[in-house]
Amino acid sequence: MTEFRDQSTSYVDVVLPVPLRQSFTYKVLSDIADLTACRVYVPFGKRFAIGFVIRHHNDKVNTSYEIKTVRDIIDTVPLIDFSYFKWILLSSDYYHAPLGLAFQQAIPAYFWDYDQINKNPKIREAKSSKSTWVTDNITQLNLEQESVSQILKSKLNLFFPFLLFGITGSGKTEVYIDVMKAVLKEGKSVLFLLPEIGLTPQMMSRLEKHFGDNLLVTHSGLTQNQRLNHWNRARRESGLVIMGTRSALFSPAKNLGLIIIDEEHDTSYKQDDRFRYHARQLALLRAQDLKIPIILGSATPSLEMWHLAKESKIGLGMLSKRASDAKLPQMTILDYTKEKEHLNHNLAVAKQIHDEIDKNFSQGSQSMIFVGQRGYAQNAFCKACKEILSCPNCAVGLTYHRHGQKILCHYCQYTDNFQFTCPKCQENQLILIGTGIQAIEEEIKTLHPHLKIMRLDSDAITTHSQQRQILEDFFQKKYDVLIGTQMIAKGHDFSNVNLVVAIGVDAQLGLADFRANERAFNNLVQVAGRAGRASQQAKVLVQALNPEHTVFKMAQSYDYVTFANEELKARQFLLYPPFSRLMQIKFYGNHDSALQKYFSLVRPFLDQLQSKYNKEELKILGIVPMPISKIKNKFRYHLIIKIKKGLKINDFSDYLLNVLEKNSSPGINITVDIDPLTMI
Ligand code: ADP
Ligand code: ZN
């Protein structure tokens, strides 16, 4: 667009890196026709800041204040591709999030720093490397893989969301690789997301064989400079495979031709602070805008995607058997309470599990033990006052850690020395109940002194490289048994693991969360999937307190489809996602009385809003304390709104947030989460 602009009447609407919903208008004294997606340096309050131009226009601007002038034009051509720019706008709109937050998420800090620009006017051009395809001993796709891959390769120039539902070990990765090669051949780039940094090294070495230097891996171990170079390489070069966790989605990939989200059901794709987004949702928006395919892979699809696939709103491909021809391991649910009564023992782990660990070792195989809770024992319980010792700052139980004999709070890091005297009633009646991972580890080490045992959880390690080392050592068979939390549950491919044990799933089922069943089922199937990836005789043992629970029954037969369909029925009845969208507004404050006063101010507005809608369309559940009602001495309340699909959140959210913010007072913190994954 080269239209003439009168110098004095050209204006730009600018987004600044602040959590505000609005943009700011400035005058431009330049005849550059279009500064959209360019950066400018502008006065803001008492200082100056870099902002992004979202609109360049000649509109008459009516304001009561003086319109200031852009001080410096930083880019004369857009810093980012127009499609990336547009997608940032779409993202902020979808989540009704402040534009400033969305832009900050999408553009690295470097580009917001004016001093950097003056110091270093040209960002070092990343060396563009030649393609070094390494021809690997190519895996011949099996029939199922081949047919899925053919479908995808025939849709490369369309918006084509595709759920790849393949059981654990069915060879989803080989399908990804095959489709990626086709996209790269067209000179386009691929964005490949995985859920967990711990999975990166394994996947990296697999992809490197195929893509060599064209593989660009983004992870938290990169320095600021490396990160910047990656970002620049991604926006200047095409034919790349850009791989990383959630935030890698914000790569301004040039000529993007395909997005892959591996383990799409994984909760780590949701970001819960600052710009609150779900990577899968934003990836779908991006693919739709670019008219490209997006592959969502999982052995336990999210109910959201399963529902869409069932309704034929997205494509569906199945891989129903393991690529190596191995069968899914047999899963046994052990009734722990019954065994304990029967054998009258004091073990935290069932006798049968101990026996199987020995047997598995004697057959030369490795074992993995998945434990749901951190710490040594879950809680300290006073037999006299019948209460669980809880954190003085948070409304949650304290967890006992063997190391140092401490009790600590996982929310605020409160710690104290553990004593058998109850701080409340002074009786010597505190006992430890529940079984955390450290207790399990100790028992297994004591009863199997001849085994090499390693534990992996967030208390045992402090860095990603430690995590990587432990997983690599286990892969190299340096340990016989790996005990871990969900950190070990995801996608790893260890061929020598023939026994998997799961302990503590019941506690997950007890959570006050409508996704509790889904999460527990996924966890069971995923951990079981670590066993027998190359063998026929693998076993999975699940220690349960309530073995009759439907989640155990369904997981035992790996019957995802029945489980998902039953669960969807319940969701539909209660109008939970995917049959509605949820908006959660959280209120935090130090003084409960101030919060109550505030709630009584805004309740009439909520009633008024509700009266405008049919309750089937929009349902405002009242303001109630959150399941964890206090953290770090802050009282926590939330307001949940169920929104029928099709009703636009933006139709009412401006009004609502305006009312909530206008009546608020200092000390009350309000946050909005659209499509929240957990609500405790
Ligand atoms: P998933 O990602 O579905 O869990 P992977 O892609 O990791 O499965 O494959 C599981 C194992 O099967 C890997 O060791 C992989 O090399 C192997 N594999 C995959 N496809 C084939 C095939 N067509 N022929 C032989 N082995 C295969
Ligand atoms: Zn606490």
Side-chain angles (χ1 to χ4, degrees):
M1 268 178 290
T2 40
E3 70 189 85
F4 176 76
R5 285 185 199 277
D6 177 344
Q7 285 207 352
S8 60
T9 56
S10 162
Y11 297 98
V12 284
D13 296 346
V14 174
V15 179
L16 293 163
V18 286
L20 293 173
R21 288 177 197 282
Q22 87 251 45
S23 58
F24 298 85
T25 303
Y26 294 90
K27 229 181 273 180
V28 192
L29 302 177
S30 153
D31 54 6
I32 295 173
D34 193 355
L35 284 172
T36 308
C38 294
R39 287 172 304 161
V40 288
Y41 193 53
V42 296
F44 182 57
K46 291 197 177 88
R47 50 192 187 104
F48 289 86
I50 285 183
F52 267 84
V53 175
I54 54 166
R55 204 163 75 89
H56 192 166
H57 57 92
N58 292 315
D59 298 354
K60 250 202 153 56
V61 187
N62 293 316
T63 54
S64 48
Y65 52 88
E66 177 212 0
I67 294 193
K68 294 182 181 155
T69 305
V70 166
R71 172 152 167 164
D72 189 5
I73 293 174
I74 300 173
D75 311 308
T76 49
V77 291
L79 177 76
I80 46 176
D81 194 280
F82 189 71
S83 69
Y84 189 66
F85 170 76
K86 191 171 144 205
W87 173 68
I88 304 171
L89 296 179
L90 283 173
S91 302
S92 122
D93 187 56
Y94 183 87
Y95 285 113
H96 200 86
L99 270 172
L101 282 187
F103 271 86
Q104 263 185 312
Q105 175 74 48
I107 316 273
Y110 176 91
F111 295 97
W112 299 97
D113 186 347
Y114 195 63
D115 293 340
Q116 287 280 4
I117 291 160
N118 286 338
K119 254 190 272 156
N120 183 9
K122 270 229 158 60
I123 307 151
R124 194 165 58 85
E125 194 78 34
K127 179 176 65 101
S128 94
S129 46
K130 279 192 212 79
S131 158
T132 53
W133 289 73
V134 180
T135 35
D136 155 60
N137 44 328
I138 305 228
T139 311
Q140 186 70 41
L141 295 186
N142 63 34
L143 282 178
E144 279 190 325
Q145 288 170 318
E146 188 61 43
S147 85
V148 165
S149 185
Q150 286 304 335
I151 295 174
L152 284 160
K153 286 191 283 191
S154 71
K155 310 273 188 187
L156 292 189
N157 297 303
L158 297 172
F159 172 51
F160 184 62
F162 187 81
L163 177 61
L164 177 54
F165 173 28
I167 65 167
T168 53
S170 58
K172 294 183 285 295
T173 310
E174 298 300 328
V175 173
Y176 302 150
I177 292 170
D178 196 52
V179 183
M180 282 195 255
K181 283 184 175 170
V183 172
L184 261 59
K185 245 185 214 142
E186 295 197 353
K188 295 180 178 173
S189 286
V190 177
L191 203 52
F192 182 17
L193 302 189
L194 30 96
E196 152 78 19
I197 185 79
L199 290 171
T200 319
Q202 232 185 37
M203 188 61 89
M204 212 170 115
S205 66
R206 264 175 98 172
L207 296 189
E208 246 166 13
K209 282 194 204 137
H210 296 272
F211 304 112
D213 278 353
N214 294 343
L215 178 66
L216 202 59
V217 183
T218 301
H219 55 83
S220 57
L222 295 180
T223 64
Q224 278 297 319
N225 248 332
Q226 287 171 320
R227 201 178 292 270
L228 183 64
N229 280 330
H230 274 197
W231 206 78
N232 282 328
R233 214 183 138 194
R235 81 194 160 95
R236 288 179 181 145
E237 222 180 291
S238 51
L240 298 175
V241 173
I242 302 158
M243 171 180 133
T245 49
R246 179 178 74 216
S247 63
L249 178 63
F250 294 94
S251 167
K254 183 180 175 185
N255 213 352
L256 187 60
L258 170 69
I259 304 177
I260 297 171
I261 303 194
D262 192 25
E263 316 283 358
E264 63 80 24
H265 64 279
D266 199 277
T267 51
S268 72
Y269 286 121
K270 176 76 164 68
Q271 175 158 298
D272 280 326
D273 61 350
R274 300 182 54 76
F275 180 45
R276 296 179 176 78
Y277 69 93
H278 198 296
R280 180 183 62 223
Q281 194 55 43
L282 290 188
L284 281 164
L285 281 180
R286 193 167 177 185
Q288 181 171 34
D289 188 52
L290 291 170
K291 301 189 180 59
I292 58 170
I294 169 169
I295 311 176
L296 307 158
S298 178
T300 52
S302 62
L303 288 182
E304 282 83 356
M305 294 305 112
W306 179 246
H307 178 61
L308 289 178
K310 268 182 55 175
E311 306 261 292
S312 305
K313 303 241 168 67
I314 62 175
L316 174 65
M318 305 242 213
L319 301 178
S320 60
K321 55 183 200 310
R322 284 193 154 176
S324 59
D325 273 339
K327 296 230 160 39
L328 282 173
Q330 198 196 8
M331 193 189 296
T332 308
I333 314 291
L334 297 175
D335 189 335
Y336 173 68
T337 330
K338 212 160 156 191
E339 190 205 84
K340 211 165 154 152
E341 272 168 20
H342 190 62
L343 297 179
N344 192 22
H345 65 57
N346 243 332
L347 299 171
V349 178
K351 176 87 172 44
Q352 195 179 337
I353 293 176
H354 282 298
D355 294 346
E356 291 289 346
I357 291 173
D358 277 333
K359 197 168 141 205
N360 191 48
F361 172 71
S362 68
Q363 290 167 348
S365 303
Q366 293 167 287
S367 306
M368 285 175 94
I369 299 174
F370 170 81
V371 186
Q373 288 83 38
R374 286 164 61 195
Y376 182 81
Q378 226 185 332
N379 299 109
F381 178 74
C382 175
K383 286 196 285 186
C385 38
K386 308 273 178 223
E387 269 179 50
I388 282 172
L389 209 60
S390 64
C391 172
N393 313 316
C394 312
V396 293
L398 291 166
T399 305
Y400 179 70
H401 281 238
R402 184 70 165 179
H403 184 69
Q405 310 249 347
K406 299 253 182 242
I407 39 174
L408 61 89
C409 171
H410 285 161
Y411 287 89
C412 75
Q413 309 303 330
Y414 167 89
T415 52
D416 199 359
N417 293 322
F418 175 77
Q419 292 155 350
F420 288 95
T421 318
C422 170
K424 247 191 192 163
C425 68
Q426 310 302 328
E427 295 274 345
N428 272 332
Q429 298 224 33
L430 278 189
I431 55 159
L432 297 168
I433 60 159
T435 43
I437 189 165
Q438 294 178 35
I440 306 283
E441 179 194 20
E442 190 180 87
E443 184 173 305
I444 291 175
K445 278 188 168 161
T446 311
L447 295 188
H448 310 271
H450 53 298
L451 298 189
K452 289 186 271 7
I453 298 167
M454 192 60 185
R455 188 180 108 226
L456 179 54
D457 64 29
S458 55
D459 295 309
I461 56 155
T462 50
T463 64
H464 288 313
S465 62
Q466 282 176 301
Q467 180 182 0
R468 190 163 59 224
Q469 192 60 51
I470 292 174
L471 290 169
E472 205 172 306
D473 287 348
F474 187 62
F475 189 69
Q476 308 284 356
K477 304 184 185 145
K478 289 188 189 158
Y479 307 114
D480 306 311
V481 179
L482 182 64
I483 306 177
T485 50
Q486 59 263 36
M487 265 188 188
I488 64 166
K490 297 172 185 179
H492 303 283
D493 192 14
F494 301 115
S495 58
N496 193 41
V497 171
N498 286 320
L499 174 66
V500 161
V501 172
I503 297 171
V505 180
D506 298 80
Q508 259 178 325
L509 290 168
L511 293 175
D513 188 329
F514 72 91
R515 285 193 174 88
N517 282 357
E518 181 181 4
R519 223 164 269 151
F521 180 89
N522 287 354
N523 269 335
L524 278 174
V525 173
Q526 293 289 344
V527 292
R530 298 316 114 218
R533 292 174 74 89
S535 140
Q536 307 293 353
Q537 286 122 23
K539 277 187 189 158
V540 179
L541 299 175
V542 179
Q543 174 168 319
L545 299 173
N546 176 16
E548 296 306 314
H549 197 290
T550 165
V551 163
F552 290 123
K553 295 252 178 261
M554 300 273 179
Q556 188 174 22
S557 51
Y558 298 100
D559 192 353
Y560 172 83
V561 174
T562 309
F563 170 76
N565 292 346
E566 289 293 314
E567 199 62 20
L568 279 176
K569 263 190 228 157
R571 299 263 182 102
Q572 184 161 30
F573 183 70
L574 297 167
L575 215 65
Y576 272 120
F579 300 95
S580 66
R581 285 186 76 191
L582 297 182
M583 181 174 189
Q584 180 194 31
I585 304 174
K586 292 185 255 195
F587 308 94
Y588 298 159
N590 291 325
H591 304 287
D592 201 33
S593 56
L595 283 163
Q596 295 306 336
K597 206 170 126 203
Y598 167 65
F599 297 150
S600 57
L601 271 177
V602 298
R603 273 196 184 103
F605 292 101
L606 296 178
D607 293 341
Q608 208 181 329
L609 179 63
Q610 178 66 78
S611 69
K612 289 189 198 153
Y613 291 91
N614 176 333
K615 284 203 171 143
E616 309 280 282
E617 282 181 292
L618 180 100
K619 189 160 181 194
I620 302 180
L621 309 175
I623 299 174
V624 294
M626 295 180 67
I628 297 172
S629 58
K630 198 171 89 173
I631 290 184
K632 296 186 193 174
N633 278 324
K634 280 202 190 304
F635 293 89
R636 309 167 82 234
Y637 288 83
H638 63 182
L639 166 65
I640 291 169
I641 304 180
K642 285 184 185 173
I643 305 145
K644 189 166 182 185
K645 285 280 173 84
L647 185 71
K648 284 204 69 169
I649 287 188
N650 288 351
D651 291 347
F652 65 87
S653 56
D654 278 337
Y655 166 80
L656 176 65
L657 294 177
N658 219 337
V659 164
L660 293 178
E661 274 156 24
K662 227 172 42 204
N663 288 287
S664 178
S665 50
I668 297 180
N669 204 321
I670 305 173
T671 58
V672 182
D673 195 347
I674 289 178
D675 311 331
L677 274 195
T678 62
M679 296 188 289
I680 53 174

